[in-house]
């Protein structure tokens, strides 16, 4: 059976931390679906098309990686894509507490989908999309935290 | 003096975790007031009447338990009801940090009202009303996390 | 049924934080057994007799409170004493993580014994027996953290 | 080189905890700029003028302290004011996790600006502007948590 | 390249939580080496031979799983075994903080070895080898927390 | 009044993380006393003389920095040295919880001594003396985590 994994998020925008997690996961999986969740209640900074384009450019030479968007529950999207794994990065214990709740409920709702966690690398631990948006919104320079393909 | 306790929350909706906490608290108290806080700034998923009805049905055979709604500070509602205790469940250390702030401030504002904590049972630790609302909103099946009396 | 509670600990020595928890628990219970666990693998600073004596003097005017020592599992001591409750104070989230493990395992081993938690008062949050022992061992003055009955 | 520090926040309203941090920082710095961040996306309870006035009254006899408001990134405000330090108080580990992210990103964006942390005193640990606003909004008495100069 | 993973621990004794992590990891890897670390400074409750035998019996029908013991650094053992992955379970945020330090240092020392984390299932979250040893040492019944193959 | 600070620890051995904290603190203080606590109950890996020598070599060109050893309470050593500040680095929330207890008790015992915290830089967050000792003990290469002056 092929090992297909969904890496869900808003990627608003994708960060160097996200890129690191995906790259390190490549050897473990046969296919990685970077999955942009569409949440109509959340206002995004960057248009969906832009977020997709950036990710495609970053990973264009990596045949195992595709980008898709979805709405609804992540586990329903996994089933549709025949993915048995969800990939998540862990930076802080606040992250962990949040992820544990989501991960254990997902397991309850879909017993055969397993969430796999990788640690953020130390230099990326303080970086999050929300901090990056805050820097951009206030006219700061976020270029040290995002891939060069993310052209604001 | 009778031991009267207020169990405050939004109960939007009540979860199996809430029910477990209330049932385990029954022997310790003479009266348990499940108290639905009305917060005009928060948008609820379920109407107040529905939330009250569900709780009444779940505990209809338990004479010690009543359901009420209130607005304003929880400690003011306690005083009005002559309750000397507030009951809270603890699931995670994020919960704990939040509850400690509220509990210590309540103690400062009303020295004679004591907050009593019970641990969530392990199987209910990942369950919260907010995760349940998220599952429902996205068309998932939340029935394993809510009492059967909660008919969506 | 009488509400009997065990308040377990080493009390090496008893702190102002312990005293606060016990006093605030008095109205909730019919009997509080301050229970000094004897752990042959742990080296104590103060002799068991001294620790018992100090606690007896502190609570001598409080008829609901008794002091006892025990070895073995706390839940076995509860059963022997017909106590249905264990009382614990919570100061920090590190405390909470530790207590949750113990509390949930105790519940698994003895379904009808419930652990009840109270919050430490803010001024007692940094105080622990182990910090007090460290101060004493290094010749410092711990008198602001212990009851006056604890005569070193 | 003079040691100039920015103490950023919303101060909506200033609390006894904030006042404690500032007073304890006075000997360490030559100038303390209490800096009210203006965030157009956040709805404040108290007008900016009121918040400035309260702080000026509290510290009117302290020549090292000035009050200013700013918009944009805190590090850009620091540069404009030739401040090499940012001052923050730490109450809980939730605080810490949040502050670590902000502090490490600030360090990345402005290598020569250092964030200095002081611990909240135990009695002020549960107090926050947001809890105070909640008490006020619900008709409670917050006077034990705010300086007397804060006249609601 | 084959996906070989080391699952390191003392397994003193193996718990139902460990067994759950290993079983859920089987589809992801080609070979799982349950690796008992020998630490001459730590006193174990159960002899190494017993711990190995128990694990062999539990997984005897699972061809992907082997049991080995090792001393020295886990990453050196990984290299010797040509394992590119380390498997760890996460129960609490205290676990997480500890594992993050170890995992990030391991990554620093051996860039190409990745630590993969799975969440403990809720019912196994409070269970640890050290709590089990404590129950056994005090004459309690730990059978609900260990596989039936662990015969004390 | 001169700003004198004590930076207490075992420094067994000093790490790149320690060095970073000290260097970043130099502009804030007039004198930094790196203070090696002697704890007769703790077995060290490296002799006191070696630990002192390493630190002296690392900071030999920095006139503000001295190295000393002490026994007893840190606050008593501060008083003897007329230091009004204690310097500590913060890496994780586990660190924070521990430091908060110590710091608040120190404040209680010596009102005029203030503990000042700096954040560890991200790349040094996973590094601790105890992990380094563990690597060395097991024959690993710790050179990427210690200053070059630490010759094992």
């Amino acid at each position: 059976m092929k090992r297909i994994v969904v890496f869900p998020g808003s990627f608003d925008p994708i960060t160097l931390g996200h890129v690191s997690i995906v790259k390190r996961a490549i050897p473990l999986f046969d296919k990685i679906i970077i999955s942009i969740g569409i949440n109509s209640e959340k206002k995004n900074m960057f248009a969906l098309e832009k977020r997709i384009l950036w990710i495609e450019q970053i990973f264009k030479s990596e045949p195992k990686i595709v980008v898709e968007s979805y709405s609804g529950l992540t586990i329903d999207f996994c089933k549709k894509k025949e993915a048995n794994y969800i990939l998540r990065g862990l930076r802080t214990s606040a992250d962990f507490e949040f992820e544990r709740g989501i991960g254990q409920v997902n397991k309850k709702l879909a017993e055969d989908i397993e969430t796999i966690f990788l640690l953020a690398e130390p230099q990326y631990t303080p970086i999050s999309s929300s901090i990056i948006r805050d820097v951009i919104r206030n006219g700061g320079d976020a270029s040290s935290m995002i891939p060069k393909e993310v052209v604001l």
Side-chain angles (χ1 to χ4, degrees), chain A:
Chain A
M1 202 172 65
K2 278 177 67 185
R3 293 166 175 96
I4 302 174
V5 71
V6 157
F7 183 47
S10 297
F11 305 104
D12 186 32
I14 190 167
T15 71
L16 288 178
H18 293 132
V19 172
S20 159
I21 295 290
V22 170
K23 286 195 171 159
R24 289 156 54 203
I26 291 174
L28 196 57
F29 297 101
D30 300 305
K31 183 178 179 181
I32 299 178
I33 306 169
I34 302 180
S35 306
I36 307 185
I38 300 171
N39 182 341
S40 58
E41 305 198 0
K42 238 169 104 180
K43 232 176 72 187
N44 292 112
M45 178 172 268
F46 299 105
L48 179 61
E49 296 68 34
K50 243 178 170 174
R51 287 181 275 153
I52 291 177
L53 188 70
W54 289 332
I55 299 174
E56 284 174 346
Q57 288 175 329
I58 293 164
F59 295 108
K60 67 182 168 209
S61 63
E62 185 45 68
K64 278 185 179 179
I65 296 176
V66 298
V67 191
E68 303 210 20
S69 67
Y70 73 103
S71 53
L73 291 177
T74 302
I75 51 163
D76 288 337
F77 182 66
C78 288
K79 287 173 188 167
K80 200 176 130 193
K81 292 290 157 181
E82 302 189 328
N84 284 80
Y85 300 98
I86 295 171
L87 175 67
R88 297 292 290 161
L90 289 173
R91 295 169 302 152
T92 66
S93 52
D95 267 17
F96 171 71
E97 293 273 345
F98 178 78
E99 294 290 340
R100 186 178 55 185
I102 303 285
Q104 290 181 338
V105 164
N106 278 342
K107 183 84 180 166
K108 203 181 176 72
L109 298 177
E111 177 68 25
D112 55 341
I113 297 176
E114 202 64 67
T115 306
I116 304 293
F117 296 93
L118 295 184
L119 289 174
E121 294 190 77
Q123 68 271 33
Y124 301 137
T125 299
I127 298 176
S128 69
S129 294
S130 101
I131 281 190
I132 288 172
R133 288 196 304 272
D134 204 51
V135 169
I136 293 170
R137 195 179 292 119
N138 285 292
D141 175 9
S143 61
S144 65
M145 300 185 277
I146 46 179
K148 65 176 194 317
E149 288 83 356
V150 176
V151 183
L152 303 177

